[in-house]
Amino acid sequence: MRKVILAYSGGLDTSVAVAWLRETMDADVVTLPVAVGGGSLREGVQRRAISAGASRAYVLDARERFVVDYCFPSMQANALYQGVYPLATALARPLIAQLLVEVAQREGADAVAHGCTGKGNDQVRFDVAVHALDPSLEVIAPMRIGMGLSRDQEIEYAQARGIEVPITKASPYSIDQNIWGRSIETGVLEDPWTAPPADVYAWTVDPGKAPVVPAEVTIGFEGGIPVSLDGVRLSAVELVDQLGALAGAHGVGRIDHVEDRLIGIKSREIYESPAAVVLFAAHRALEGLTLSKEQLRFNRLVSDELAQATYDGLWFNALHRDLRDYVRSSQRVVSGEVRVRLDHGSLAVVGRRSDLSLYDRALATYDADDAFDHASAVGFIRIFGLPLRTEAARQGSAWAWTSPLVDTLPASVVSAEVARP
Ligand code: ARG
């Protein structure tokens, strides 16, 4: 008899999958629900697994590890897929894949299984990550290879076998959630022109119904990692939970995105990531104060590469590993505090400070105590502009490809008063 470790949520799909794997594949099924926060696990998850026929039902709480090893490093790198998605779902996959592999090795299993269909990104992420860690393990995805049942059929299948059916009513959406964010798709959202109905959102209030008085919060960072809110040191999980609740209460953290899936299709996705949205903005503001312009420019390339690697399920590839080392190194000076105002769905960084700040008021000021050497600017500009003057001299001035402007402006603008003698 083969032994399979199944990534289990306690929902209807994966509960049916337990029985399906036993019956169709003659498998001994061990269920592995991984708590990654944000209501990711259902009540009575172990009991339901046993009722579905699992021989052993684990439950692992990986919230702290998830935030510390996956979410925060990704935020440090400013990694947003296509510039907007904080990658909550994508980040949880390599963590869950790793736990599947570890438990498979511990249990002497020859396969792992997950509840993904054949159309999304998550199947790729699970399969690729599992094989990066242990190429000898088979990956089985029942929903991809013939378990395709409608919801009603699944309920019937479960009831016929005495499997406890979760009492949650059918959601009109497909939802994945963890402490870093909620990902919502399908249903009416499949029309990109349709505004998301109110019932899509669970963690953020309608910005129009947010409290009249804006909130302000001070976030403390050490080496690019958030460590405190309003001066109170918190664990990673506490910080994300508290900041998420505050931002959500002010309607901050909604993202509506038509994104490019790894498998080549465009898909309309709604995300709620209140804590992540605030932390990304605050962190970038602190980087602006503490990193050089060369670092800031180069980091944007790294951000995009890391976001793509995470989205594409390449967490365990070599480039990702090396880029993360670079990010960790670049973050050593990103320490200090950032003040953020939350107001009816929008957020504004209104202050930042750091002992390692590169901002020097004596140099920046326009007041009398200005320490900047104005006279040196003349020599600097002469050298800086030298290549342009050489170009003009050798290849013709920019006038050759610039059209006259004055004559195109309304006459009143150029009518000049003539001074009387
Ligand atoms: N599109 C997102 C991603 O690929 C989220 C997918 C979430 N899955 C879901 N069933 N809603 O990371």
Side-chain angles (χ1 to χ4, degrees), residues 70-280:
Y70 295 77
C71 305
F72 283 178
S74 189
M75 188 276 306
Q76 272 186 311
N78 305 312
L80 293 170
Y81 181 62
Q82 296 191 319
V84 296
Y85 167 37
L87 293 160
T89 296
L91 285 164
R93 300 318 182 195
L95 168 84
I96 295 170
Q98 182 178 339
L99 291 171
L100 283 171
V101 170
E102 286 182 36
V103 171
Q105 288 170 348
R106 176 183 295 210
E107 292 275 340
D110 33 42
V112 300
H114 58 71
C116 300
T117 66
K119 210 169 173 183
N121 297 317
D122 288 328
Q123 50 164 348
V124 184
R125 297 171 183 148
F126 277 126
D127 295 19
V128 169
V130 165
H131 287 142
L133 295 168
D134 187 345
S136 75
L137 283 171
E138 188 191 345
V139 185
I140 305 169
M143 318 260 288
R144 193 169 56 188
I145 52 160
M147 197 193 91
L149 301 174
S150 70
R151 185 179 161 86
D152 287 343
Q153 287 170 322
E154 282 188 348
I155 292 174
E156 217 171 281
Y157 186 99
Q159 279 168 347
R161 288 160 180 79
I163 301 173
E164 213 185 291
V165 175
I167 32 171
T168 50
K169 67 169 175 8
S171 165
Y173 311 108
S174 163
I175 300 169
D176 177 70
Q177 61 194 49
N178 60 51
I179 187 169
W180 203 230
R182 290 177 79 233
S183 307
I184 309 111
E185 53 196 21
T186 73
V188 294
L189 300 174
E190 284 175 359
D191 178 356
W193 179 248
T194 300
D199 68 353
V200 163
Y201 299 106
W203 293 0
T204 54
V205 304
D206 179 343
K209 296 185 182 134
V212 179
V213 182
E216 201 174 286
V217 61
T218 299
I219 304 164
F221 288 87
E222 282 173 10
I225 299 291
V227 294
S228 66
L229 293 181
D230 292 327
V232 181
R233 283 191 87 87
L234 298 167
S235 76
V237 167
E238 287 168 340
L239 191 143
V240 172
D241 276 341
Q242 286 184 26
L243 184 59
L246 177 70
H250 287 269
V252 170
R254 297 182 170 189
I255 297 155
D256 181 342
H257 184 215
V258 172
E259 85 188 13
D260 285 279
R261 283 195 191 168
L262 172 49
I263 48 156
I265 56 182
K266 286 193 187 286
S267 161
R268 203 282 188 87
E269 310 271 333
I270 303 296
Y271 299 110
E272 277 186 299
S273 270
V277 164
V278 176
L279 289 172
F280 271 84

